Amino acid sequence: MTAPHQPGPARPEAVPGCGPGAEAAVDSDDSDLLAALLDGMDAALCAFDADGTVTHWNREAERILGWTAEEAVGRQGLAGWAVRAADAEEVTARLFGAMKAPGRQVHEFALLTKDGGRVLVRTQLSAVPGADGRAAGAYCAFSEVHTQIDLERSIALSEALFGDASWGVVLVDADLRPALANAHAARALRTGRTALLGRPLGELLDQGVEEVEGALQHVLAAGAPPAPTDLWVTLRDQGAAPPERRCWRSGFLRLASPLAEEPVPLGVAWLFLDVTAARLMEQENARLRFRGSQLHRAGRAVAECEDPMEAASLYLDFALAGFADHALIDLLPEPAEAPEPPIRLVRAVATPTSTPGPAPTMGRGGLPLPYPDAHPALQAVERCGSVRAASDCTESWAGARKWPEGTVHALSTPLRSRGRTLGAVTFLRGVSRRPFDRGDATYAEDVAARVAAAVDLATTSSAG
């Protein structure tokens, strides 16, 4: 009888990707990947086995020292070719010391280039553990010292700027939203450093936000402007303080990634300093110089006038430039040391007029003006002091006070000469101008003194 067939051990079937050839392919792929990773590093790198033989050498190391991987791999240590003989003992000791010490060891020493030059490098040495946990070698990553110092200096500069610097610094991303800010900028914007991040600038600034965003967009598109610029802004009222107009001296820098093949804008660095006090002082000084010049020119022109009332009108014409839109002279029927109510005023001069040339003068003749009680001109005469008034936003406000349509700000100053009140001069501004302030009142009083002298002369001449 034939013995029954006994099954033998199963023969393994061929599996794709397995076998000696596949293992060799995997090893080759790993080697190619490691070579690509090493050559793509920004830092120079070389590796040593436990005996100190060079096993790896990347392209950055070749760029710095000139030695190719074929020339470097397989050499025993660095002595005699990459390190001077006089320095070889110290370098070798540091290399083998790194294999025994935990962590990274940072050193600086000079290496030799292929053409005989010397390069000062900063190295990081670290042991490479084997499968048994013991050091199987070491790697050495190095870069030129000046490159490392430049990097550290850039980092230190960034840390200093975003510390408590005297300038405000805000990093704005490509969407024009703050991404980082220092303490000075946060205080200037009246918010916290983290509270402003990611918020539109329109939530932080009221007036001037269009100018700031326009400057940021220009920098992103065309680069930084050649010089700093002044930007006037008003912060949004956040309850802590009333809105206040500020002038920030601003500089801008476009930020681009150094790792991209083509410059890719990361955002804009906005540096600013509050120069409001200085700019307001400059504006005030310029205004005072101009007003002084106008009074000087008016004095020379008035010297040629035969009619004193024409001289008074001429003073107002010169004073109006850059100061007000209209000026009125209202006189008492008779000069008085201390006018008593009811006070009545007569219009003497109104300038400018619709016709070119000097404003016509009406003297003291005519009917009293129907001024309502508490009219600024009446108050100025009664108090012998300047009175400021502003519109209450009603359409009849200017008409009720017998002023030109569109008037929203008024300043009345008494005309005083030889201890007597002659009347009042009133300056008027439209909606496009700011309200009168104390500095304006001082200037108006200076003009009024000259006008009063001319009106007094006219009164004396007519009496004679």
Side-chain angles (χ1 to χ4, degrees), residues 259-321:
L259 303 179
E261 294 182 2
E262 297 182 359
V264 177
L266 297 177
V268 177
W270 176 22
L271 294 82
F272 64 88
L273 183 67
D274 194 321
V275 293
T276 307
R279 294 298 178 265
L280 291 178
M281 182 63 69
E282 291 173 2
Q283 292 178 2
E284 182 63 21
N285 291 338
R287 184 160 49 243
L288 291 176
R289 286 194 300 269
F290 176 75
R291 290 175 177 177
S293 174
Q294 287 296 98
L295 289 179
H296 174 72
R297 294 175 58 200
R300 297 185 62 179
V302 163
E304 304 299 326
C305 292
E306 296 182 2
D307 183 2
M309 288 302 297
E310 181 182 352
S313 175
L314 197 57
Y315 271 123
L316 295 185
D317 288 332
F318 276 93
L320 282 180

Side-chain angles (χ1 to χ4, degrees), residues 396-419:
S396 60
W397 186 82
R401 289 156 179 78
K402 309 305 176 184
W403 290 334
E405 184 179 356
T407 297
V408 295
H409 305 295
L411 172 61
S412 293
T413 301
L415 297 174
R416 296 277 298 175
S417 178
R418 294 190 297 166

